[in-house]
Amino acid sequence: MSGNNSRKSGITSLMGLGLTAGCFMGVMGLSQAAQATLIHEYSFNAGSTSSGTYTTPDSIGGASYAATIMGSAAISSGQVDLTNASSSGQAGNEYVSVPLSALPPSSSSLTFEEWFTTGTNGAHTQNLSLNSDTVGTVTDAITAGAGATAESYFFITQDNGNYGSRTGMSPGGYTNEKVGVNSLGTGSAANADYLSKLVNGSAVQHMVTTVIDNTSTVADPYGTITYYVDGVLQGTSAQTSADNWSTLESTFTNMWLGRSAFSGDPMFNGSINEFRIYNNALSSSQVSADAAAGPNTVLTPEPASLALFGVAGASLLLIRRRRAAV
């Protein structure tokens, strides 16, 4: 009798351990999923016109997050083709306007990924620009010239002149830009090849990634910003008290692909294959994996799958307990 009770006690302990492990695995699964959640994906596989507005869908967020195709840009073969030969300040240019509502809360960490192919290249041509520009004004100067107000901004540029490919942000004008990462100077063979092909206008697809990590640490109380080119780490910069995503996001009025906030910068000329927004900071291994997989292939785990994995662990041990009790 006592031996039977001992066996039941052991089984009960095993079941408790199993439930604990299963719940832990489920929580870990949800935690891991939260670290790898793709919330918006613009694949440019389709477009439609309504009331004169040409839009392309967000395959994850739905119709309310559709991006607007500006100018005479066209969608073909799963890409949006932008044909521009002028500066950002001129009318009729082709670019993509993404709704600001697609951004996660400013306190959240986030990641931008973009795959593109460049045609002719120009210094300061921007892949992504978030800014406080007033569209249509003549004094929309990032440099805060006479009569103009310096704009807050965040950007990714495929070629920033002597800096190489670059990402950065500022609370107002380039003279106040304290946070940024340059690709030149890293000695990366992949980046040297990337820049060479950009300068030559070679029709080779590339990927740029900016990870904005708002996690506060002792070393970086305002978080960090990390930049990758074709999945290769280019560097990390600390956000500052005056220059940080959590403060700047609420000031932005536009999110553009292929256009700068500064009217003198050239427009993007080429095609964009895919643009993604994650509501978290992707790890280096995740960025490298995404670069290797290419656009239209999402590798990050779905929340349900990892949560079910944890629940399954608990369920299997419950089944074992029932069999042992028979």
Side-chain angles (χ1 to χ4, degrees):
M1 186 73 174
S2 60
N4 191 40
N5 287 338
S6 176
R7 186 181 70 170
K8 288 182 178 181
S9 176
I11 292 172
T12 301
S13 297
L14 179 61
M15 183 186 74
L17 178 62
L19 285 171
T20 301
C23 291
F24 174 76
M25 291 164 69
V27 170
M28 288 300 290
L30 289 173
S31 174
Q32 176 62 27
Q35 294 175 8
T37 304
L38 177 61
I39 57 173
H40 300 290
E41 181 182 23
Y42 299 90
S43 297
F44 304 107
N45 292 320
S48 60
T49 301
S50 177
S51 301
T53 301
Y54 185 28
T55 62
T56 188
D58 167 15
S59 59
I60 293 178
S64 59
Y65 296 100
T68 303
I69 309 300
M70 309 299 289
S72 301
I75 290 178
S76 64
S77 302
Q79 301 180 109
V80 57
D81 297 321
L82 305 177
T83 304
N84 293 297
S86 57
S87 65
S88 295
Q90 297 183 11
N93 284 315
E94 300 177 359
Y95 61 100
V96 179
S97 181
V98 181
L100 285 172
S101 57
L103 295 174
S106 61
S107 59
S108 300
S109 297
L110 68 159
T111 300
F112 296 111
E113 289 185 333
E114 182 180 346
W115 284 264
F116 66 96
T117 302
T118 182
T120 56
N121 182 56
H124 306 289
T125 300
Q126 294 189 10
N127 298 84
L128 172 63
S129 174
L130 285 98
N131 56 78
S132 59
D133 178 48
T134 301
V135 180
T137 63
V138 178
T139 56
D140 58 343
I142 246 179
T143 54
T149 301
E151 300 168 353
S152 58
Y153 62 81
F154 162 85
F155 70 90
I156 302 175
T157 177
Q158 64 185 37
D159 182 2
N160 201 173
N162 294 331
Y163 296 105
S165 184
R166 176 172 166 77
T167 190
M169 56 185 172
S170 169
Y174 73 88
T175 57
N176 292 316
E177 185 182 312
K178 308 300 182 186
V179 178
V181 180
N182 307 324
S183 63
L184 287 183
T186 63
S188 165
N191 185 61
D193 177 63
Y194 164 86
L195 288 173
S196 173
K197 288 173 179 174
L198 282 181
V199 171
N200 295 327
S202 176
V204 176
Q205 181 171 265
H206 295 285
M207 171 190 172
V208 287
T209 305
T210 296
V211 177
I212 300 172
D213 191 341
N214 289 324
T215 303
S216 177
T217 64
V218 173
D220 299 303
Y222 296 96
T224 59
I225 178 172
T226 303
Y227 190 48
Y228 301 82
V229 173
D230 292 336
V232 178
L233 176 64
Q234 303 301 315
T236 298
S237 178
Q239 298 187 57
T240 70
S241 59
D243 199 355
N244 63 80
W245 180 266
S246 296
T247 300
L248 297 186
E249 182 183 330
S250 63
T251 69
F252 298 143
T253 55
N254 308 290
M255 178 159 48
W256 297 330
L257 303 178
R259 175 183 173 178
S260 171
F262 179 44
S263 59
D265 285 345
M267 294 290 295
F268 179 87
N269 184 49
S271 59
I272 301 173
N273 194 318
E274 185 163 325
F275 175 60
R276 297 179 182 179
I277 302 176
Y278 293 83
N279 67 346
N280 55 78
L282 293 184
S283 66
S284 291
S285 59
Q286 289 173 315
V287 173
S288 296
D290 283 351
N296 303 306
T297 303
V298 180
L299 300 178
T300 51
E302 294 294 334
S305 62
L306 286 177
L308 287 175
F309 178 69
V311 174
S315 299
L316 286 173
L317 287 173
L318 281 172
I319 293 172
R320 183 176 178 181
R321 187 261 178 188
R322 291 193 190 102
R323 288 179 177 173
V326 172

